[in-house]
Amino acid sequence: MNHKEPSNKAAPLLQVKHLCKQFLIGKSLLKRHRAQLNAVNDVSFTLQKGKTLGIVGESGCGKSTLGRCILRLIEPSSGQVLIEGEDLTTMPAKVLNKMRKDIQIIFQDPYASLSPRMTIHEILREPLDTHRMGSPREREEKIAQIMQEVGLRAQILNRYPHEFSGGQRQRIGIARALVLEPKLIIADEPVSALDVSVQAQVLNLISDLKNKRAISFVFIAHDLAVVQHICDEVAVMYLGHIVEQASSEELYRNPRHPYTQSLLSAIPVPNPHKRSKAIILTGDVPSPINPPSGCAFRTRCQFAKPICAQSQPQLTTKKETPEAHKIACHLVQ
Ligand code: SF4
């Protein structure tokens, strides 16, 4: 199969089409009777150049698996990932490795994502050498420029990751993602392992870089409050499905899916006169190995009706919502 769709530079930067990822769980020599875990279920979205999409949901909802499937760090089971019209999912490894220069990742855990045996200089120089970017002198200039952009002093280049705080290590992780001048960065919970005081600094840095460099981000988080000011659009995931998607402004102003409403109600509001009652979700997230029939959220939804157990609601635009606002709920008209 030809990995190239018709080349189209006017195509959106990223298109994810009907992406699915299943894992087979448990040991069996015959590979029969193994349970299937549906981590990502028929996920589709489009991301334009220079825009940021937030993917939000509780632990285990499939958001990190989705991020890794986009990069093919995990092979998707089916569906397509198109970068400027080129299909990553069918691309030969050699071509994919070249394309990886354009798509980088910032990992959640800055402690684990940096090699403890490499100096900061080696960490930043390695991708430039691998992709043969510029002359040796230009590579050094690029490292110096990136260090400055992420707020790190050039004097620390010969030190090792363990010598830095969590926030500084995440800055190094961001520098490593930026050094190849990617078009797209998958930021996988980049602040959730950091202290609250440091989170704001790293979020501000990502926001500045996004505006300055017009890089597109897929920003994965478990907290809607984190993505509110950084994302142009937000998709809320539950048990592998996107259940609501809208522009950031619209989603926070007019959440329609009961799950989004509960997530938003849990965000602390500093003004006591504007506080709304928190919607407490009862029960745990169901197992993705044995998800509920129909709507995956029905076992925790206070509005569930018999129809919710019978068929899975599709992610569609509803009456009185803008075209780009999509909700997967039988009861939202
Ligand atoms: Fe709740 Fe039913 Fe809507 Fe699912 S489809 S969110 S169970 S009302």
Side-chain angles (χ1 to χ4, degrees), residues 21-35:
K21 178 64 194 177
Q22 292 107 26
F23 295 99
L24 292 174
I25 307 290
K27 288 180 186 165
S28 164
L29 284 177
L30 298 174
K31 294 194 174 181
R32 270 188 242 143
H33 312 301
R34 291 173 75 184

Side-chain angles (χ1 to χ4, degrees), residues 257-259 294-305 307-309 311 313 328-332:
H257 194 282
Y259 180 56
C295 173
F297 186 57
R298 73 176 169 82
T299 52
R300 302 170 83 198
C301 179
Q302 58 178 321
F303 306 111
K305 297 276 183 286
I307 188 182
C308 305
S311 67
C329 175
H330 289 306
L331 301 194
V332 178

